[in-house]
Amino acid sequence: MFLLLPFDSLVVNLLGISITVLFTLLLVFIIVPAIFGVSFGIRKVYMKTLLKIFQWATLRIERGAKEKNHPLYKPYVNGIIAKEPMSLEEEIKEIRRSGSGKALDTPEFELSDIFYFCRKGIETIMDDEVTKRFSAEELESWNLLSRTNYNFQYISLRLTVLWGLGMLIRYCFLLPLRIALAFTGISLLVTGTTVVGYLPNGRCKEFLSKHVHLMCYRICVRALTAIITYHDRENRPRNGGICVANHTSPIDVIILASDGYYAMVGQIHGGLMGVIQRAMVKACPHVWFERSEVKDRHLVAKRLTEHVQDKSKLPILIFPEGTCINNTSVMMFKKGSFEIGATVYPVAIKYDPQFGDAFWNSSKYGMVTYLLRMMTSWAIVCSVWYLPPMTRQPEEDAVQFANRVKSAIARQGGLVDLLWDGGLKREKVKDTFKEEQQKLYSKMIVGNHEDRSRS
Amino acid sequence: LPCAQGAHPHHLSLFSPLAVTSEQIEHLHRRFKQLSRDQLTIRKENFDSIPDLEFNPIRGKIVHAFFDKRNLRQESDGLADEINFEDFLTIMSYFRPIEMNMDEEQLDHFRKKKLKFLFHMYDSDHDGKITLQEYRNVVEELLSGNPHLEKESARSIADGAMMEAASICVGQMGPDQVYEGITFEDFLKMWQGIDIETKMHVRFLNMETIAHCY
């Protein structure tokens, strides 16, 4: 009987000690550096170690596949179909040429013209440029996350053990740690901004507000184990400007805001998000809109213009794509933010998908599921480039300016510059695009027809 | 694995082993699942989720072709409400490229199959003839969307083309002869000389199958 008592207290003691140690570690290595904006470099070491392990894992899978003499599943981002490089005119002329042997200068409608559109239609049914952009970019090496592996049957015992160990670490060690950090970060943000909100307006309030915001965002960055490399920091956005970036996930906000002090723009949500938003606006003039106001474009433009014209106000952070894209391309920028007439500071964000896929497919996952996936990935590795500021030239309109900014961002981030509208994920194509292709073909036929009837 | 439920071994008989590999069938199956949103069949509405297709003036006819029973099975007629993966592959097989080792007879059969597919696109009332009205429909659809083009112009273009078709098929017609419509044999005549079998195909990219080494 005497043996039981010390055993019980031993367990309790051990538990107490481990929790204390954990929290001390947390405080010293994560929270304190976050407050002061310093880094020990632990995450970089972590990243390098992981890379070595992933390389080893990929080699094992390849070896396993070679032994069994099977091809590996290799996903293709560039599509599966070889598209013909010829234009509409060239193709139709070629078909007609090979046909009736008529002179080429008597073009009129031919039975064979239908064939070009038919084939193009089947090609898009087989493989579509736009829909590809919206599913998570497919990886070429395995990063020990089962959700990204299609070659399961080639995994040896050693690899399975490693994967199991990885899963244990991610779910039982990293996840609780990250949740604790996130909780700390968010509650500090809410209480900090509320407290600062009670101070009278002035330099002191601004200083404190800036540092409360930065500190909490840094804690959140560590909560996701985000390893960010900032490039060209001398181009960081200044007061009175608009910061424009490509959008892959809600995490983009945290990444940018942990390196600079921005005024956010957005719609007021309910729930936890709403609480955070309402607290933040007490300390710093963020621009939040009610749901009904968002539809009114003039109202939105007016408020934003007022904000940027006040030079003492912070730069606004806007994501003009309007929705999350899977980080292989940049889609059409909505022209609203480019009409305001302020200096635009473009920022390119590129995620490295090897450690964890940051893309939020909002039609597939809800916000909570998405956050859980993020927190059980190894890390989020990304690069941020601050591009030199751009202003609208007198001879270009808002759309052209938006496209110019978009190209600059795409080029810097190594992303493909697409003309497509990101809103396509949910809506249907606008009719104006449909007309272009049809006009081209009918111009070919009718233009020539008119020439003939005239002669 | 995505291939497990959908592609049975007998699908490979639709495609000879050289033309389409099982890997490509797997790709098509993934595409099918994407379009059908993980259901076993596709309906016409599912094609609305392809934005690129909106570009195409004959979008309606192409989608219709997938549900046209004449394309799906020999000797049947009418429209299907929904199609499964096997039907999807059947339609795709009309667009497979020719192989080097095909003999004359196979090539001819191949060509006829592809032309029959196009013929069904024109012949929307399934009566085996392309009438003037059906021809006009196709031309109007192809030229639709151009706001500067009046319906009359489209019509006259179609009529002109139809007259020409008649002259190829029937030769000179008397003033009171009525040309009923282009039958499939006439249709074949008009495509003589056009190498449809070398153009009417969709090629898969040559895919390497070993993963890269970092």
Side-chain angles (χ1 to χ4, degrees):
Chain A
M1 218 175 73
F2 274 111
L3 286 170
L4 279 174
L5 285 170
F7 186 69
D8 255 358
S9 61
L10 191 69
V11 169
V12 170
N13 274 342
L14 269 174
L15 212 63
I17 291 175
S18 52
I19 292 182
T20 319
V21 167
L22 196 70
F23 272 104
T24 322
L25 279 175
L26 213 81
L27 202 69
V28 172
F29 284 107
I30 302 180
I31 298 189
V32 167
I35 295 177
F36 293 105
V38 187
S39 175
F40 281 129
I42 299 177
R43 283 174 288 157
K44 292 238 153 54
V45 171
Y46 171 66
M47 182 173 89
K48 290 202 172 75
T49 323
L50 278 180
L51 265 176
K52 291 212 174 71
I53 298 180
F54 294 162
Q55 277 176 18
W56 180 82
T58 314
L59 286 173
R60 290 303 296 233
I61 293 185
E62 215 188 88
R63 210 198 308 170
K66 272 200 189 136
E67 277 166 12
K68 296 195 185 151
N69 231 343
H70 285 171
L72 273 178
Y73 178 81
K74 188 173 192 282
Y76 287 87
V77 181
N78 290 324
I80 56 175
I81 298 181
K83 298 245 163 88
E84 296 288 333
M86 293 195 282
S87 71
L88 180 143
E89 289 192 47
E90 287 166 8
E91 278 215 51
I92 292 194
K93 284 209 180 94
E94 201 177 298
I95 297 173
R96 289 181 180 174
R97 194 179 325 183
S98 68
S100 42
K102 263 192 267 195
L104 278 174
D105 56 353
T106 56
E108 51 192 3
F109 178 78
E110 293 275 339
L111 204 59
S112 44
D113 288 350
I114 194 179
F115 150 73
Y116 170 81
F117 292 103
C118 185
R119 203 198 73 219
K120 274 272 180 272
I122 297 285
E123 270 176 7
T124 53
I125 290 177
M126 266 190 170
D127 198 24
D128 179 59
E129 214 30 83
V130 174
T131 340
K132 245 202 310 276
R133 301 288 166 199
F134 290 119
S135 29
E137 183 188 357
E138 292 164 331
L139 288 179
E140 291 184 351
S141 83
W142 190 37
N143 58 358
L144 292 183
L145 294 174
S146 53
R147 54 186 92 123
T148 56
N149 194 341
Y150 301 102
N151 292 317
F152 255 136
Q153 65 266 40
Y154 304 121
I155 303 177
S156 59
L157 180 66
R158 246 191 263 180
L159 215 52
T160 316
V161 166
L162 189 67
W163 174 74
L165 195 67
M167 217 166 117
L168 202 71
I169 295 180
R170 280 185 295 124
Y171 280 87
C172 302
F173 175 61
L174 288 177
L175 183 63
L177 183 68
R178 286 173 180 164
I179 293 184
L181 276 173
F183 190 68
T184 317
I186 294 179
S187 40
L188 270 178
L189 182 66
V190 172
T191 46
T193 47
T194 316
V195 162
V196 171
Y198 285 123
L199 291 175
N201 285 350
R203 293 257 308 268
C204 184
K205 179 176 183 179
E206 249 193 71
F207 178 78
L208 279 176
S209 168
K210 176 172 180 180
H211 284 274
V212 164
H213 274 96
L214 280 176
M215 173 182 87
C216 298
Y217 281 119
R218 286 192 199 121
I219 296 181
C220 288
V221 159
R222 282 160 170 80
L224 293 164
T225 319
I227 305 172
I228 311 169
T229 319
Y230 295 101
H231 303 264
D232 305 329
R233 291 180 83 225
E234 65 272 8
N235 289 327
R236 274 192 308 171
R238 315 235 168 104
N239 283 4
I242 299 184
C243 175
V244 155
N246 61 318
H247 201 29
T248 305
S249 87
I251 296 178
D252 292 341
V253 177
I254 300 180
I255 288 178
L256 287 180
S258 62
D259 191 45
Y261 189 31
Y262 297 99
M264 313 268 167
V265 173
Q267 191 185 311
I268 288 246
H269 291 99
L272 180 63
M273 208 51 214
V275 170
I276 301 176
Q277 284 176 319
R278 272 177 261 271
M280 278 167 67
V281 82
K282 288 195 186 121
C284 159
H286 298 293
V287 184
W288 301 129
F289 291 101
E290 297 291 330
R291 201 189 181 89
S292 48
E293 291 174 322
V294 172
K295 297 277 163 71
D296 186 351
R297 280 187 43 195
H298 292 292
L299 180 66
V300 170
K302 190 155 125 353
R303 272 184 73 179
L304 289 179
T305 321
E306 275 168 13
H307 186 106
V308 297
Q309 274 166 355
D310 185 349
K311 289 294 167 201
S312 68
K313 292 238 173 110
L314 305 163
I316 300 181
L317 183 57
I318 285 188
F319 297 99
E321 276 161 314
T323 184
C324 294
I325 313 294
N326 77 346
N327 210 232
T328 53
S329 57
V330 180
M331 293 220 165
M332 197 164 99
F333 277 6
K334 303 224 180 315
K335 62 181 170 116
S337 13
F338 299 91
E339 286 172 329
I340 299 175
T343 321
V344 169
Y345 295 88
V347 176
I349 307 178
K350 175 83 175 135
Y351 289 87
D352 187 346
Q354 269 202 308
F355 295 88
D357 182 21
F359 167 57
W360 183 31
N361 191 343
S362 53
S363 45
K364 223 171 158 194
Y365 303 110
M367 178 66 118
V368 181
T369 324
Y370 170 72
L371 283 176
L372 277 176
R373 272 170 63 102
M374 286 299 100
M375 291 199 184
T376 53
S377 304
W378 291 111
I380 313 265
V381 179
C382 63
S383 284
V384 175
W385 285 272
Y386 290 105
L387 298 168
M390 292 176 148
T391 41
R392 187 166 106 182
Q393 303 299 315
E395 68 273 0
E396 57 180 9
D397 65 359
V399 176
Q400 288 167 331
F401 180 39
N403 282 337
R404 191 160 61 95
V405 173
K406 181 164 78 81
S407 303
I409 292 183
R411 218 174 319 134
Q412 181 60 272
L415 307 163
V416 174
D417 187 2
L418 285 186
L419 194 59
W420 276 101
D421 187 349
L424 278 175
K425 208 165 63 175
R426 282 177 276 277
E427 309 163 6
K428 297 190 62 163
V429 179
K430 295 196 186 54
D431 283 319
T432 39
F433 284 142
K434 196 173 165 181
E435 284 178 57
E436 292 301 319
Q437 191 77 352
Q438 295 178 340
K439 264 195 222 153
L440 180 62
Y441 175 68
S442 52
K443 227 193 313 179
M444 247 185 85
I445 307 289
V446 175
N448 300 320
H449 186 79
E450 276 168 2
D451 287 337
R452 273 178 56 228
S453 56
R454 231 178 283 137
S455 64
Chain B
L1 274 181
C3 201
Q5 303 101 344
H8 307 292
H10 81 261
H11 282 142
L12 290 175
S13 64
L14 282 173
F15 307 84
S16 76
L18 287 171
V20 179
T21 61
S22 58
E23 197 179 321
Q24 289 162 348
I25 294 189
E26 218 178 289
H27 272 296
L28 285 173
H29 187 85
R30 277 177 73 213
R31 180 65 173 159
F32 181 84
K33 277 193 14 176
Q34 195 185 36
L35 288 174
S36 72
R37 292 172 218 273
D38 286 337
Q39 303 294 311
L40 287 172
T41 56
I42 288 187
R43 299 173 165 273
K44 278 201 179 165
E45 299 80 60
N46 292 105
F47 286 95
D48 291 344
S49 60
I50 307 175
D52 261 340
L53 201 55
E54 296 288 313
F55 256 176
N56 204 306
I58 51 166
R59 179 191 173 278
K61 288 221 183 314
I62 295 175
V63 174
H64 188 95
F66 276 83
F67 296 88
D68 189 340
K69 282 204 186 143
R70 296 175 295 175
N71 292 331
L72 293 175
R73 286 163 266 282
Q74 304 284 60
E75 322 304 335
S76 74
D77 203 354
L79 276 183
D81 284 329
E82 48 186 22
I83 53 172
N84 58 21
F85 182 56
E86 195 179 329
D87 299 326
F88 186 72
L89 279 186
T90 312
I91 303 290
M92 289 300 173
S93 73
Y94 287 100
F95 287 84
R96 60 187 248 238
I98 58 169
E99 295 128 51
M100 295 298 117
N101 59 351
M102 276 182 153
D103 62 21
E104 278 301 314
E105 200 187 307
Q106 279 179 314
L107 267 176
D108 193 51
H109 176 72
F110 207 55
R111 187 190 156 82
K112 281 219 175 78
K113 259 187 71 175
K114 292 188 188 237
L115 286 175
K116 198 103 212 236
F117 184 82
L118 287 179
F119 183 78
H120 291 156
M121 266 196 167
Y122 273 97
D123 181 22
S124 40
D125 63 0
H126 301 214
D127 63 355
K129 286 198 286 281
I130 304 177
T131 58
L132 180 61
Q133 191 50 47
E134 283 166 344
Y135 205 98
R136 277 183 190 155
N137 280 345
V138 176
V139 178
E140 270 167 23
E141 256 188 52
L142 280 173
L143 297 176
S144 66
N146 184 347
H148 305 297
L149 187 65
E150 292 145 15
K151 229 172 170 197
E152 278 308 308
S153 313
R155 254 190 171 198
S156 61
I157 294 174
D159 291 353
M162 191 70 174
M163 292 258 309
E164 182 138 356
S167 68
I168 295 180
C169 306
V170 186
Q172 285 292 77
M173 286 198 299
D176 49 354
Q177 260 187 300
V178 171
Y179 185 48
E180 288 199 357
I182 309 175
T183 60
F184 186 54
E185 282 68 39
D186 297 336
F187 191 74
L188 285 177
K189 258 192 250 175
M190 296 174 69
W191 285 83
Q192 241 168 28
I194 304 180
D195 290 332
I196 192 74
E197 56 271 18
T198 58
K199 294 235 157 268
M200 185 165 154
H201 61 248
V202 178
R203 266 190 203 290
F204 279 96
L205 279 176
N206 192 6
M207 304 187 270
E208 302 161 274
T209 47
I210 303 296
H212 286 313
C213 226
Y214 286 115

